[in-house]
Amino acid sequence: MAARRRRDNILVAVLAVLAVLGGGHAVFSMFSSGPPPPSDNTTTAIVGRAQLAGAFAEQFVVTYLTAVAGQQDRVGEYVGSAQQISLPTTTRVVSDPAVVYVSRSTSTGGLDVWSVTVSARVGKGTTATAADPRLFYRVAVSLSEGRLRALSVPAMVEPPARGADLALAYSTPCAADTPLAQVAAGFLGALLANSGDVVRYTSQDAAITALKPAPFTAVELVSLAADDTSCGTGKTKAQVLATINPKADGGATATLAYPLSMVRNGGQWQVQSIDSVPALANPLAIVGAQDSHGAGASITSTAPPTTTVQIPPAKQN
């Protein structure tokens, strides 16, 4: 009994201190759970409303830019008649519209207000051309129970600024006859040009299959850079960036780059995955345009001592 009384006294003392320091809210917060996390249904609904607001803004921008004097009714389908609108006497050609940014600025009750930026090529002639400038317009859109309305006519805004170049993790250029370069070249040839069996170059958990039909007739490895300074002679794991020049029936095509994760199993290098994002330096760093490291290095650059790698034979299924 004495022990229980001491415990009760300690609890009462703690509650009293909390009440003095933070009031009833501090006491209540000890026993209450935090706010529920967003559910999948909530996230799906927000994404759906964002897409709805974006589609509406894109239609509005195209309609507004192509309207001419006397067509205020067309514009009135999207924005209130109280807007002071002056339209040109000649129409403009609008092509290639796209929603480039959507942000929810206000949400209260069942009403959302979205800020949407739409990009489009706007020309003065009767037909669209590649020389037409790409312009950016911002529109505020209200959305309530599926009903949409623009709060004002569009505003022309600046295009997105050029971003910073991030340093990649591939610090070492690897020559063509290094283990990593040989396997990467063979793998990409099999993947893209049907020049071999992809299974010969991949790990068992890779689940990578060749593109069919093969989009290219040949693949030339231009450069390969790795985070492994030995280019495959020392470590058992590596991340590489392989740059290739594919060739098709019509001749050479645009250069492609493949970030790959590779592992060495039983002395043989294999591709474990084609990564969706190149490996970044850790910690993250911004580099200048004249950075001399990474994937820009030539395949013929000086590299660590080379070792010929053996490609395992094709597996029989």
Side-chain angles (χ1 to χ4, degrees):
M1 294 292 292
R4 186 173 65 183
R5 283 197 298 272
R6 284 196 299 271
R7 183 185 62 195
D8 293 343
N9 290 338
I10 293 173
L11 178 60
V12 170
V14 171
L15 293 177
V17 171
L18 289 174
V20 172
L21 295 178
H25 175 73
V27 178
F28 177 75
S29 64
M30 289 183 60
F31 305 99
S32 64
S33 60
S39 66
D40 291 341
N41 291 338
T42 301
T43 302
T44 301
I46 293 174
V47 172
R49 290 196 290 268
Q51 292 176 334
L52 189 61
F56 175 86
E58 180 180 328
Q59 294 174 357
F60 176 37
V61 168
V62 173
T63 300
Y64 185 72
L65 294 179
T66 56
V68 295
Q71 295 182 337
Q72 275 76 4
D73 290 345
R74 290 182 60 198
V75 179
E77 294 294 324
Y78 298 91
V79 69
S81 58
Q83 296 284 326
Q84 298 296 319
I85 300 174
S86 176
L87 297 174
T89 57
T90 58
T91 188
R92 288 178 289 181
V93 177
V94 177
S95 63
D96 195 20
V99 176
V100 297
Y101 186 76
V102 179
S103 174
R104 188 172 64 172
S105 60
T106 301
S107 180
T108 175
L111 174 67
D112 289 346
V113 176
W114 297 85
S115 176
V116 183
T117 302
V118 176
S119 169
R121 294 191 180 278
V122 181
K124 297 181 179 179
T126 57
T127 59
T129 68
D132 292 338
R134 177 167 290 279
L135 304 178
F136 292 78
Y137 298 86
R138 182 180 297 144
V139 181
V141 176
S142 66
L143 171 59
S144 176
E145 298 181 353
R147 296 190 294 268
L148 299 114
R149 198 69 170 161
L151 303 187
S152 67
V153 296
M156 185 181 294
V157 296
E158 293 183 355
R162 178 181 296 179
D165 292 326
L166 297 180
L168 302 183
Y170 317 107
S171 59
T172 302
C174 298
D177 56 353
T178 56
L180 294 179
Q182 287 188 358
V183 174
F187 165 72
L188 292 172
L191 178 75
L192 302 171
N194 195 28
S195 62
D197 188 354
V198 169
V199 177
R200 297 176 61 191
Y201 304 97
T202 57
S203 60
Q204 291 184 351
D205 59 345
I208 300 173
T209 58
L211 302 186
K212 294 187 180 300
F216 305 111
T217 57
V219 169
E220 175 191 3
L221 183 66
V222 177
S223 67
L224 184 131
D227 65 348
D228 176 10
T229 56
S230 71
C231 290
T233 61
K235 297 184 178 181
T236 59
K237 292 184 178 181
Q239 291 180 301
V240 307
L241 185 65
T243 303
I244 60 172
N245 282 343
K247 297 180 181 179
D249 292 333
T253 63
T255 298
L256 301 176
Y258 283 82
L260 307 175
S261 289
M262 302 178 66
V263 295
R264 184 162 63 179
N265 291 323
Q268 306 293 340
W269 279 101
Q270 298 173 327
V271 176
Q272 189 174 46
S273 65
I274 302 174
D275 301 328
S276 58
V277 177
L280 298 173
N282 186 17
L284 293 176
I286 296 175
V287 297
Q290 301 301 320
D291 180 56
S292 59
H293 298 288
S298 170
I299 195 71
T300 59
S301 299
T302 303
T306 62
T307 300
T308 301
V309 62
Q310 296 180 353
I311 305 299
K315 298 178 181 179
Q316 301 294 328
N317 294 326

